[in-house]
Amino acid sequence: MTVRVGRLTSGMTPEDHRLAASTAMAPAGALATTGGCLPGGLDLAPVPGSALQATLSAGRLWVQGTSGAAQGGYSVTIDAPVSLTFGAGHATYSRIDSVVVRVADPSHDSTVTVFGGEVLVVQGSAVGTPTPPTLPPNSQKLYDVVVGKESVGLDWVTGVLDRRRYTAALGGIVPPGSGVAFSGSHNGQYRDNDGVLERWNGTVWEPILRLGNNGQIQLGDAHVYREAGPIVSTNSILRTYRQPTANAYSSRVPGESFSRIMISGDGTVNWGGGTGNLETFLQRSAPGVLKTNGDLVVRSHKAHYGESGTTYVSFTTGRQHTVTVTFGTPFATAPKVFTNIDSGHAAAELWSSRAHTVTTTGFRLYVYNPSGSWSWSNMPISWSAFAA
């Protein structure tokens, strides 16, 4: 038959019914649908006191026929728990058994003679490196179970592997499941991969939300949008709520393992070189006070601004003395420097002070007395330097 119309006449074949039902399912091709479980149910659990037995809970799934695309798919309901028994382990090697739901349809499977459905334990081969067994026709895998060598029981912690893949209606988001290694059926299909929304682009699953160059995410009156190039902008305040020492914002250079800058929840700005932990910070230590654990270097002073200080001079019996003074912050050009002897002590009488050999980083403080020799002990000489 070339054109099949669902629910048109009483003479419809089973294939007509199945193909009609599949039009509401997520496609896997022109005629095929994506087989899988419906969320909820089909859980495998141990049977207390029975080491090699398990129970599969009730649930529903869609089994896509494997004999041909026009075969359609089967809607299967397991309405009560099913008991399963696994064979004992091999004396030398481990094996992998598979728990599957199989549809027996003699019209498309010559290995069966009765129509129906069943839950099977398909036993794998016991070899040095075991692999899951080949599935029978028209079946959907639910679990892989490792049966260890000489095993008389199942390892429910590491040996029971959930292989349930989920399906969805046409246009729906495929729910998460262990079987994520499958391709999408059409561009724009979405799936939930353990909490990550992924979009099939025709080749791979992309964990992104594709909006286009002028796309916007609108949250009430707050918008996030692509401004230009790789620039994301917002018309609103971008705020984070973080603990005082937690990372509220950070940035790193591509290829580096550590951030160059990080702003903590309490406003502390931390810097590093990108090759190790952040080592320099600037923080508000008190109202109106900024504190750093490193050096803060200002390259130059503004015009008519500068710095000042006091140098304490000591010497024994002399008429002149010279001391080197270094500025706390270098100047862009040599500043103007003024000095003064801040003492009325007799030892300072008739003495003078001045600055010479002034550079961008310091000067020579020269004190002298043309009348006689004296000794000084911590005589204070104040100085002020101003940018030109």
Side-chain angles (χ1 to χ4, degrees), residues 35 41 63 78 80 85 103 109 117 121 144 152 162 177 187 193 202 209 229 242 266 299 304 308 349 354 358 380 385:
V63 178
I78 301 172
T85 301
V103 173
D109 181 4
V121 175
D144 282 330
V152 293
D162 190 346
N187 289 351
N193 184 4
L209 180 62
R242 303 287 289 162
D266 64 357
R299 287 302 179 189
H304 311 302
S308 61
E349 187 177 357
R354 64 183 176 88
V358 179

Side-chain angles (χ1 to χ4, degrees), residues 22 76 97 136 140 155 159 189 222 239 241 258 262 287 324-325 330 364 372 385 388:
S22 70
V76 179
D97 295 350
Q140 182 71 40
D155 182 352
Q189 184 180 14
R239 176 178 296 155
Y241 290 89
F258 295 86
M262 187 266 282
T324 299
V325 177
R364 302 280 287 175

Side-chain angles (χ1 to χ4, degrees), residues 125-167:
S125 299
V127 294
T129 305
T131 58
T134 301
L135 300 183
N138 309 323
S139 63
Q140 182 71 40
K141 182 189 291 189
L142 302 181
Y143 294 89
D144 282 330
V145 178
V146 179
V147 181
K149 64 178 182 179
E150 300 180 345
S151 176
V152 293
L154 304 179
D155 182 352
W156 287 89
V157 177
T158 61
V160 178
L161 309 175
D162 190 346
R163 301 306 190 202
R164 289 174 294 181
R165 191 181 77 178
Y166 293 92
T167 189

Side-chain angles (χ1 to χ4, degrees), residues 56 59 61 63 74-80 82 84 100-106 109 112-121 136-140 142:
L56 182 71
L61 67 157
V63 178
Y74 302 84
S75 176
V76 179
T77 298
I78 301 172
D79 61 6
V82 177
L84 301 172
V100 305
V101 174
R102 179 188 187 184
V103 173
D105 184 350
D109 181 4
V112 296
T113 58
V114 179
F115 292 91
E118 58 184 337
V119 180
L120 298 175
V121 175
N138 309 323
S139 63
Q140 182 71 40
L142 302 181

Side-chain angles (χ1 to χ4, degrees), residues 75-385:
S75 176
V76 179
T77 298
I78 301 172
D79 61 6
V82 177
S83 296
L84 301 172
T85 301
F86 296 84
H90 187 271
T92 305
Y93 300 112
S94 299
R95 71 172 192 270
I96 298 176
D97 295 350
S98 295
V99 177
V100 305
V101 174
R102 179 188 187 184
V103 173
D105 184 350
S107 301
H108 296 278
D109 181 4
S110 60
T111 66
V112 296
T113 58
V114 179
F115 292 91
E118 58 184 337
V119 180
L120 298 175
V121 175
V122 183
Q123 191 171 104
S125 299
V127 294
T129 305
T131 58
T134 301
L135 300 183
N138 309 323
S139 63
Q140 182 71 40
K141 182 189 291 189
L142 302 181
Y143 294 89
D144 282 330
V145 178
V146 179
V147 181
K149 64 178 182 179
E150 300 180 345
S151 176
V152 293
L154 304 179
D155 182 352
W156 287 89
V157 177
T158 61
V160 178
L161 309 175
D162 190 346
R163 301 306 190 202
R164 289 174 294 181
R165 191 181 77 178
Y166 293 92
T167 189
L170 179 63
I173 297 174
V174 179
S178 297
V180 297
F182 66 95
S183 299
S185 59
H186 58 86
N187 289 351
Q189 184 180 14
Y190 285 89
R191 73 174 182 181
D192 182 345
N193 184 4
D194 289 333
V196 178
L197 184 64
E198 296 181 334
R199 176 186 182 275
W200 180 254
N201 66 5
T203 304
V204 297
W205 290 101
E206 300 174 315
I208 59 175
L209 180 62
R210 185 181 293 275
L211 294 176
N213 289 344
N214 296 318
Q216 290 191 9
I217 300 175
Q218 298 184 355
L219 307 172
D221 58 357
H223 297 176
V224 179
Y225 59 94
R226 176 186 180 273
E227 181 176 341
I231 301 175
V232 176
S233 302
T234 180
N235 66 335
S236 307
I237 297 173
L238 186 61
R239 176 178 296 155
T240 64
Y241 290 89
R242 303 287 289 162
Q243 294 298 319
T245 59
N247 185 348
Y249 167 81
S250 62
S251 176
R252 65 178 57 181
V253 175
E256 294 183 349
S257 301
F258 295 86
S259 296
R260 292 293 188 103
I261 184 173
M262 187 266 282
I263 301 177
S264 303
D266 64 357
T268 300
V269 184
N270 305 268
W271 291 273
T275 57
N277 294 328
L278 303 168
E279 80 285 338
T280 306
F281 68 78
L282 181 66
Q283 67 177 177
R284 175 185 177 273
S285 60
V289 179
L290 288 178
K291 174 185 176 181
T292 180
N293 66 332
D295 294 327
L296 184 62
V297 178
V298 180
R299 287 302 179 189
S300 65
H301 294 281
K302 295 168 60 178
H304 311 302
Y305 284 72
E307 60 185 81
S308 61
T310 299
T311 300
Y312 294 88
V313 179
S314 299
F315 59 86
T316 303
T317 311
R319 297 176 57 185
Q320 60 182 11
H321 190 73
T322 303
V323 178
T324 299
V325 177
T326 302
F327 299 132
T329 301
F331 287 79
T333 58
K336 296 183 181 298
V337 181
F338 304 90
T339 68
N340 182 65
I341 301 174
D342 294 340
S343 176
H345 194 278
E349 187 177 357
L350 300 179
W351 282 75
S352 299
S353 66
R354 64 183 176 88
H356 71 88
T357 317
V358 179
T359 68
T360 58
T361 59
F363 64 94
R364 302 280 287 175
L365 175 60
Y366 177 63
V367 295
Y368 59 95
N369 182 354
S371 301
S373 298
W374 289 83
S375 295
W376 280 12
S377 177
N378 291 325
M379 188 69 71
I381 311 295
S382 61
W383 56 268
S384 297

